[in-house]
């Protein structure tokens, strides 16, 4: 038996689940996303369930149904089971069977005692979870309480599941907590995983806390990973402190185009002058960042932007053989959009 999963932007992206609900008076429960807008199709090989085995997934019911008042509800879930001749997805299945199950749900009024009990229950579940996907979903349920009591559980998850940065990102809502700031600083110094260091830098910028500037400057001086350097440069730019200017200039000629652009943007955001020649060089280049450079010039060069960009319009694209300013592939300058 194989169960197919796909996507519609809900929870774990499985459109094979269908939920409906009615209250004790028979009124339908509202769907917060009646038209998800896209369907991701089949995602990878279908989960396999062998005879005598079980299969389970944790779902966030609130992605499908909104319970707007306390009371008793009946919730139904339809799950499509498929019995294909082989595991790979094909259009022809031996059997397609929709399975519907129903259960009763009581929604109780929110209270401080109820929230505390819920947090304790979810915290125990999180710390006992061995599957990272289920742990992330459990942590999300904790986040939805919006209660600062969950910080210790999320801090634990950030250390337990350090390969990804989802717990770091969840902690952003408690960015003023000194324990969270300490974790961000620790993550920025860690050697395990460049994505963790990059996310720590971005979260520092997201907090708007300029106390992180020395940490980011130190990271920029010691870091060798081009992706982390790009995230740190971008974060320094967002925090906009002039003291970051000297260290930003150290990697100004780095071979990685995204880092060069991040540095030039950060220098402007930190109070420096926009270096016209460097931005024009990026716009005229074949680097993938050229249109981002053009957009930054348009937004930050003021009255000089039309002239700066106009000087790049007659550049001959080496591959297309046409002026980049008039090429259909030019999202930044075509049709004079940035020059109007």
């Amino acid at each position: 038996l194989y169960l197919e999963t796909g996507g519609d932007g809900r929870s774990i992206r499985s459109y094979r689940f269908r939920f409906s609900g009615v209250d004790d008076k028979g009124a339908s429960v509202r769907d917060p996303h009646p038209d998800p807008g896209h369907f991701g199709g089949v995602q990878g090989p279908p989960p396999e369930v062998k005879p005598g085995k079980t299969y389970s997934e944790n779902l966030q019911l609130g992605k499908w149904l909104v319970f707007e008042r306390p009371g008793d509800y009946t919730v139904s879930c339809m799950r499509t089971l498929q019995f294909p001749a082989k595991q790979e997805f094909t259009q022809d299945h031996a059997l397609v069977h929709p399975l519907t199950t129903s259960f009763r749900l009581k929604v109780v009024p929110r209270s401080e005692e109820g929230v505390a009990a819920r947090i304790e229950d979810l915290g125990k579940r999180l710390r006992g979870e061995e599957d990272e996907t289920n742990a992330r979903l459990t942590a999300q349920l904790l986040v939805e309480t919006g209660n600062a009591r969950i910080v210790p559980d999320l801090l634990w998850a950030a250390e337990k599941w350090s390969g990804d940065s989802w717990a770091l990102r969840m902690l952003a809502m408690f960015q003023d907590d000194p324990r969270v700031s300490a974790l961000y600083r620790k993550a920025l110094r860690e050697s395990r995983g460049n994505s963790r260091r990059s996310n720590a830098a971005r979260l520092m910028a997201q907090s708007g806390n300029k106390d992180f500037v020395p940490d980011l400057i130190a990271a920029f001086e010691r870091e060798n990973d081009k992706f982390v350097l790009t995230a740190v440069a971008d974060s320094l730019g967002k925090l906009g402190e002039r003291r970051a200017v000297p260290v930003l200039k150290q990697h100004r000629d780095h071979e990685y185009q995204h880092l060069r652009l991040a540095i030039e943007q950060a220098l402007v955001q930190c109070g420096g002058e926009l270096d016209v020649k460097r931005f024009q060089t990026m716009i005229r280049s074949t680097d993938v960042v050229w249109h981002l450079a053009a957009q930054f010039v348009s937004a930050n060069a003021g009255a000089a932007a039309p002239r700066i960009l106009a000087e790049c319009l007659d550049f001959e694209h080496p591959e297309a053989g046409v002026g980049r300013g008039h090429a259909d592939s030019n999202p930044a300058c075509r049709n004079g959009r940035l020059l109007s």
Side-chain angles (χ1 to χ4, degrees):
L1 169 64
Y2 298 101
L3 295 84
E4 293 190 359
T5 58
D8 69 350
R10 315 282 188 101
S11 188
I12 58 170
R13 291 176 49 79
S14 178
Y15 73 79
R16 298 293 178 180
F17 290 104
R18 293 279 190 261
F19 283 96
S20 62
V22 294
D23 63 17
D24 53 359
K25 297 181 180 179
S28 297
V29 180
R30 181 170 62 88
D31 183 342
H33 307 288
D35 181 15
H38 73 279
F39 292 83
V42 174
Q43 271 193 317
E48 180 183 63
V49 183
K50 295 182 178 180
K53 301 296 182 179
T54 61
Y55 173 79
S56 65
E57 293 186 44
N58 289 335
L59 301 175
Q60 298 180 46
L61 189 57
K63 299 285 186 179
W64 281 268
L65 299 174
V66 177
F67 302 97
E68 298 178 307
R69 63 179 181 83
D72 294 316
Y73 295 85
T74 300
V75 176
S76 298
C77 173
M78 188 275 282
R79 181 76 161 107
T80 301
L81 306 181
Q82 304 199 0
F83 302 80
K86 56 182 180 179
Q87 181 173 356
E88 292 76 13
F89 172 75
T90 62
Q91 294 298 323
D92 298 321
H93 299 280
L95 178 65
V96 177
H97 179 69
L99 176 66
T100 301
T101 57
S102 298
F103 58 91
R104 296 285 291 170
L105 178 70
K106 178 180 284 295
V107 177
V108 299
R110 186 183 183 97
S111 66
E112 185 64 25
E113 294 78 10
V115 170
R118 179 65 169 160
I119 289 174
E120 182 179 2
D121 176 64
L122 289 172
K124 290 179 180 178
R125 187 192 308 178
L126 174 64
R127 292 173 185 260
E129 186 58 69
E130 294 299 328
D131 179 80
E132 185 170 4
T133 298
N134 289 338
R136 184 169 62 249
L137 291 171
T138 302
Q140 183 59 47
L141 293 176
L142 281 168
V143 169
E144 289 175 2
T145 68
N147 194 300
R149 295 177 182 175
I150 72 173
V151 170
D153 292 315
L154 292 182
L155 290 171
W156 178 88
E159 296 292 346
K160 166 71 173 179
W161 308 103
S162 59
D164 201 348
S165 300
W166 52 266
L168 284 180
R169 294 191 294 271
M170 288 180 182
L171 282 163
M173 66 186 299
F174 306 106
Q175 60 192 20
D176 295 331
D177 190 310
R179 295 170 294 179
V180 176
S181 298
L183 177 63
Y184 287 170
R185 290 187 168 99
K186 180 176 181 290
L188 188 62
R189 297 191 302 268
E190 289 177 354
S191 59
R192 48 178 179 175
N194 59 6
S195 64
R196 187 172 173 87
R197 301 198 300 279
S198 296
N199 277 297
R202 294 189 180 99
L203 289 165
M204 287 178 172
Q206 180 180 315
S207 74
N209 186 352
K210 295 182 184 292
D211 290 342
F212 285 128
V213 170
D215 301 281
L216 292 167
I217 289 176
F220 204 78
E221 290 176 329
R222 69 172 177 267
E223 187 62 62
N224 294 316
D225 186 278
K226 62 184 180 181
F227 301 109
V228 181
L229 283 168
T230 302
V232 173
D234 182 66
S235 298
L236 285 168
K238 285 181 169 61
L239 291 174
E241 285 281 292
R242 291 193 68 89
R243 52 184 161 162
V245 169
V247 71
L248 283 168
K249 291 181 177 180
Q250 292 180 10
H251 292 286
R252 209 171 187 182
D253 296 313
H254 196 282
E255 62 180 11
Y256 185 49
Q257 61 269 31
H258 287 277
L259 175 55
R260 292 199 306 272
L261 175 61
I263 289 173
E264 293 304 321
Q265 291 175 332
L267 288 171
V268 175
Q269 293 167 325
C270 290
E273 295 292 327
L274 187 145
D275 192 311
V276 173
K277 289 185 178 179
R278 284 182 178 270
F279 272 96
Q280 286 185 327
T281 298
M282 284 187 280
I283 295 171
R284 291 189 176 104
S285 75
T286 58
D287 289 343
V288 296
V289 301
W290 69 268
H291 63 290
L292 299 175
Q295 290 169 348
F296 187 84
V297 168
S298 177
N300 294 274
R307 175 187 59 79
I308 296 171
L309 294 172
E311 292 174 358
C312 301
L313 291 179
D314 59 354
F315 172 71
E316 294 296 320
H317 192 292
E319 296 180 1
V322 297
R324 175 168 286 191
H326 303 289
D328 288 340
S329 62
N330 184 334
C333 302
R334 66 169 177 259
N335 301 326
R337 185 166 65 201
L338 293 183
L339 305 179
S340 59

